[in-house]
Amino acid sequence: MTTTDTPRKVDSTPGRAVPKKRSGSAASGGLRRAIPATTLLWVLAALYGVPVLWFVLSSFKPAGDLFSLPLTLFPTNPTVSGYEAAWDSANFSQYFINTAIVCVIATILTVGVSCCTGYALAKYDNKWLKAFFVGILATTMLPGEVMLAPLFLVVRDLGFYNSLAGIILPAVLTATGCFMFRQFFLTVPDELIEAARIDGARELSIFLRIMVPISRPIMLTLAILSFQWRWNDYIWPLLMLNDPEKFTVQIGIQSLVGAQNINWSVLLGGSVISMVPLIVVFLVFQRYVMNADINAGLKD
Amino acid sequence: MTQRASDVTVSPPRRRSKYTVAPLVLIAANVVLFALFFMWPAVIGLVYSFTNYTGVGAFQFVGLDNYSKLFGDSTFYDATTRTLLYTVLFVPLNFVFSLLIANVLVSKHAKGVSVARIFFFIPWLLSPIVVGVLWRWLFGENFGLVNYLIEKAGGSAVPWQSNADLSLLVVVVAASWAWTGFSMLLFIAAIKNVPTSYYEAAALDGAGPWRQFISITLPSIAPTSFIVILLNTIHAMKEYPLFASLNNGGPGTTNNLLVQYIYQTGFKSGQIGYASAASFVLMLILMAVAIIQLIVNRRVENR
C-alpha cells in the first residue's frame, strides 16, 4: 500500500501532450463518453439512495396510510405523528441523552489515549514499547465479539455493570486510533523534537505543546470515526445495560422491532431520528472522512 | 494521504532517543486498558472454556467437554455453516459493487460525482440496526415495496421472510449495500494511486477501457483488494446486529449466526464456559481466515 504515491505528480509533465490531443477531437467525443458513465453512476446512486429515500418518506406518512394501496412515494398527508409517538412512547429523549453521553466521553478519551500511544510508538524506541505494539496488534485479532462472555465478566467484576462507564471504558482501547496517530507522527521529522530538546523543553511538554496541536486533523478524523462506532454500537450496550433508563438509542429501536406486533409508524420515526446526528456530523466533516487514511489499521 | 510516501522514507528508525519515563507515561493509560479489557478477558476466557462456569458461583474444570459437546451440537454446526455461507455470499457481492462504484466515481467522464458519492456513503453511516429495519420495511412480505413492485409487474409475492434462504439473501444484499461506502473508499484511494501514464500507454496501444481495467487497474490495486476481502470476511464472520433487526435469525432459528449463538448460550442460558469454548472456535476461524489470506496474498505478490 505504501509504494505508489509519487508517480502521479511526475507524470503530469510527460502526459501533457495527451489531453491536448483529446480536447482537439472535442465536445462530441466528450459527450459520447460522458453519457454512459454518468448514466451508470446515477443508476447506481439510485440503487443506494432509493431505499433510504423510501424509508424516510414513509416515516412522514400517517400510520393509516403506511400500508394503503397503491403505495405512493410521497406522503399525501405528511405528518410527524410517528416521530412524536416514537419520542414519547419509547422514552427516546432519555436514550438520546445516554447515547450522546457515551459518544462524547468515549470519543474524547479515545482520541486522547490514542494520541499519546501513537506518539510514543512513533517517536520513542524501547523494548516495552515494542512489546506493547505487539499487544495492540493482537487486539485486532481478537475482536470484542469473540470475547463477549469473558469481557462481560471482567467489566461486571469491576463494578461497571449497568452503567454507562461499562460501555465507555472498554471502547477506549482501539488499535485503529493508535495506528492512525502512529502513522501520522512517523511523518513528523525528528529534527523538530531535537530542536525543542536543545531549547530545553521537557519531553511531555514537547508532546503537549508541539505535537498535540499539529495532529489536529488526525484527531478530528478519529473523533468522527469513534463517534460513529459508539453511536451505532448495539451488542455491547445490550449486554451491559439492564435498566431501561440507561438504554442507548440502538437498543431502543431494536426493542421496538422485537415487539410482537411491530408498530411501523413508531419504528420508522424512531429510526429516522436516530440517523440524524450522524448524517449531520458526516455532512459537516465530510472531507475529513473522505480523506481518512483508514488503511492504517481497522477495528472498532 | 501524504503520510504514506513519507512513512517509507522516515521509518528506518533514525537514532530515536533512549528515553524511558516519558514514553511509559504516554502509554500508561492504554496499558491499563489493555490489561483490564484485553489480557484479563482473553486469559479467563480461555480458562473458562475448560470449565462449567455459569457466570456466578463455583465452577469445575471439565477438560475438553465443552469442545466435544460443541462439535456434537447440531445448532452450533448450523450456525457455523450459515455464517460461512453468509460470508461467502456477502464478500464477493460487496467487492464487485464497491469496485464498480469506485471506478465510476474516479472516472473523468461521469457528471455529478461529488453529489452521487454521498448516496453511497449514507448507508455506511447508518447503524446495522437501522439498516435492518430499513430492509425489513422494503422486503415485508405483505406490505413491502419490493413485493408491491413485483406484483405490479405481474409476479407473485415472494416469501422474503418465511423462506430461510431468501431471508439470508436479503441480509446479504442489505449488508453489501451498507458496507459499500467503506470498501469503496479504500478502492478510490488505491485507484487514484495508479499512475495515469500506464493508461495513456495502454490507450496508445489500442487497449479499450475493459482491457485497461483488467490489465492495469486490477493488478495495481491487488493489495487493496486483499485488505478489502480480509476486512469484509472478518466483519461478516462477526455479524449479528443486522440479523437481529432484519429477521432476528429467522425464520425460526435457521439464520442464527455464530455471534448470536455465543450470545444465546452465554447470556440467555448462562453457560459461560460453553459460550467461551464457542468463542474460541470463532477466534480460530478468524485466525485461519487471516492466515490463509496472508499466504494467498504473498503468493500473488511474488508471482
Side-chain angles (χ1 to χ4, degrees):
Chain A
M1 307 238 104
T2 46
T3 43
T4 51
D5 226 10
T6 32
R8 269 183 94 204
K9 286 166 216 150
V10 178
D11 65 35
S12 62
T13 5
R16 199 181 286 154
V18 180
K20 263 185 194 163
K21 212 192 283 170
R22 269 193 200 144
S23 65
S25 69
S28 67
L31 203 64
R32 213 177 52 232
R33 279 158 184 245
I35 289 172
T38 310
T39 313
L40 179 60
L41 175 70
W42 283 95
V43 167
L44 287 167
L47 219 55
Y48 282 77
V50 165
V52 179
L53 189 70
W54 172 250
F55 192 67
V56 173
L57 287 174
S58 298
S59 72
F60 288 105
K61 291 177 182 170
D65 283 9
L66 273 178
F67 306 104
S68 65
L69 297 173
L71 294 175
T72 48
L73 182 59
F74 291 97
T76 38
N77 313 301
T79 168
V80 289
S81 63
Y83 291 87
E84 285 167 358
W87 192 258
D88 299 334
S89 74
N91 207 2
F92 245 73
S93 46
Q94 185 64 44
Y95 300 162
F96 241 75
I97 295 169
N98 295 339
T99 316
I101 293 172
V102 169
C103 288
V104 170
I105 299 180
T107 297
I108 292 171
L109 290 176
T110 303
V111 170
V113 165
S114 303
C115 182
C116 294
T117 309
Y119 176 70
L121 293 176
K123 290 298 177 202
Y124 294 98
D125 191 21
N126 73 42
K127 60 176 191 251
W128 298 109
L129 286 170
K130 279 187 188 134
F132 188 56
F133 189 53
V134 174
I136 292 273
L137 281 172
T139 64
T140 62
M141 295 297 291
L142 268 183
E145 285 83 353
V146 170
M147 301 212 298
L148 227 44
L151 186 60
F152 173 82
L153 296 176
V154 166
V155 177
R156 183 195 67 183
D157 293 346
L158 290 170
F160 293 128
Y161 180 64
N162 205 14
S163 74
L164 296 183
I167 304 177
I168 295 168
L169 288 175
V172 174
L173 175 79
T174 65
T176 309
C178 298
F179 291 146
M180 279 171 62
F181 276 104
R182 180 178 170 270
Q183 293 301 100
F184 171 76
F185 284 120
L186 282 173
T187 68
V188 176
D190 288 350
E191 285 75 10
L192 199 61
I193 304 172
E194 297 296 341
R197 277 179 189 145
I198 291 165
D199 289 344
R202 305 193 42 207
E203 289 303 300
L204 293 181
S205 72
I206 295 176
F207 172 67
L208 288 175
R209 292 169 62 186
I210 303 175
M211 295 301 161
V212 171
I214 60 173
S215 66
R216 211 173 289 150
I218 308 296
M219 290 186 162
L220 207 54
T221 308
L222 179 61
I224 296 161
L225 289 177
S226 163
F227 191 86
Q228 189 205 356
W229 297 333
R230 300 291 79 87
W231 189 271
N232 289 344
D233 244 2
Y234 170 67
I235 193 160
W236 186 246
L238 176 72
L239 288 178
M240 262 300 115
L241 302 172
N242 189 24
D243 177 0
E245 282 290 297
K246 293 187 176 134
F247 278 1
T248 58
V249 170
Q250 305 301 336
I251 305 182
I253 295 171
Q254 173 58 16
S255 67
L256 294 175
V257 181
Q260 279 304 319
N261 283 310
I262 296 175
N263 184 340
W264 276 102
S265 174
V266 174
L267 185 56
L268 292 171
S271 304
V272 175
I273 296 174
S274 84
M275 294 158 39
V276 171
L278 274 183
I279 294 191
V280 169
V281 167
F282 171 74
L283 291 177
V284 172
F285 296 105
Q286 211 203 117
R287 65 200 176 96
Y288 289 95
V289 183
M290 296 296 184
N291 295 328
D293 193 359
I294 40 182
N295 294 347
L298 300 121
K299 195 205 146 225
D300 49 356
Chain B
M1 296 286 128
T2 43
Q3 292 106 297
R4 292 210 209 130
S6 25
D7 175 20
V8 178
T9 53
V10 175
S11 62
R14 279 179 293 166
R15 270 197 312 117
R16 281 196 220 144
S17 41
K18 285 281 178 199
Y19 292 82
T20 350
V21 180
L24 291 186
V25 170
L26 286 170
I27 63 169
N30 227 345
V31 169
V32 172
L33 292 169
F34 177 78
L36 284 182
F37 301 123
F38 185 75
M39 287 301 279
W40 187 7
V43 170
I44 66 169
L46 186 60
V47 172
Y48 284 146
S49 73
F50 299 106
T51 71
N52 60 5
Y53 192 47
T54 59
V56 282
F59 59 87
Q60 288 171 327
F61 280 89
V62 292
L64 289 172
D65 274 12
N66 286 329
Y67 291 93
S68 57
K69 200 169 117 201
L70 209 52
F71 286 106
D73 183 349
S74 66
T75 324
F76 173 73
Y77 191 73
D78 291 345
T80 311
T81 34
R82 222 56 191 171
T83 309
L84 293 174
L85 179 61
Y86 169 71
T87 308
V88 166
L89 293 172
F90 160 74
V91 174
L93 191 64
N94 180 276
F95 185 90
V96 168
F97 269 86
S98 48
L99 185 56
L100 173 67
I101 289 169
N103 269 296
V104 179
L105 282 178
V106 296
S107 147
K108 289 186 290 272
H109 308 296
K111 301 280 177 252
V113 164
S114 53
V115 180
R117 203 166 53 169
I118 295 171
F119 284 78
F120 302 116
F121 243 103
I122 285 179
W124 181 53
L125 291 177
L126 305 185
S127 76
I129 297 291
V130 170
V131 172
V133 171
L134 197 156
W135 285 79
R136 194 185 186 121
W137 175 239
L138 280 176
F139 280 85
E141 285 183 8
N142 305 319
F143 56 82
L145 177 66
V146 174
N147 268 357
Y148 175 76
L149 293 177
I150 290 174
E151 283 177 348
K152 270 272 156 176
S156 54
V158 179
W160 297 113
Q161 302 282 337
S162 45
N163 177 307
D165 295 327
L166 287 177
S167 167
L168 185 72
L169 200 66
V170 174
V171 186
V172 169
V173 173
S176 163
W177 177 84
W179 268 68
T180 298
F182 178 78
S183 313
M184 169 196 98
L185 199 65
L186 299 179
F187 279 132
I188 289 175
I191 294 170
K192 280 188 173 167
N193 277 339
V194 181
T196 42
S197 53
Y198 291 6
Y199 294 109
E200 282 154 8
L204 288 179
D205 289 346
W210 179 246
R211 184 79 222 162
Q212 291 181 17
F213 174 75
I214 295 291
S215 315
I216 301 172
T217 313
L218 268 188
S220 306
I221 63 168
T224 301
S225 303
F226 166 72
I227 294 278
V228 167
I229 292 171
L230 179 71
L231 289 172
N232 280 328
T233 308
I234 291 174
H235 170 77
M237 294 295 302
K238 309 184 303 186
E239 188 60 84
Y240 168 62
L242 189 57
F243 280 85
S245 67
L246 215 168
N247 55 28
N248 207 14
T253 53
T254 40
N255 285 319
N256 278 1
L257 300 206
L258 269 177
V259 171
Q260 190 171 6
Y261 181 81
I262 293 168
Y263 170 69
Q264 272 164 355
T265 51
F267 297 92
K268 289 276 154 106
S269 46
Q271 300 167 282
I272 296 277
Y274 190 60
S276 299
S279 300
F280 272 85
V281 174
L282 173 58
M283 184 203 80
L284 290 179
I285 298 176
L286 291 180
M287 285 173 84
V289 168
I291 290 167
I292 291 170
Q293 294 195 332
L294 217 69
I295 293 168
V296 170
N297 189 45
R298 197 154 290 169
R299 236 180 238 159
V300 170
E301 283 186 350
N302 287 345
R303 205 162 48 193

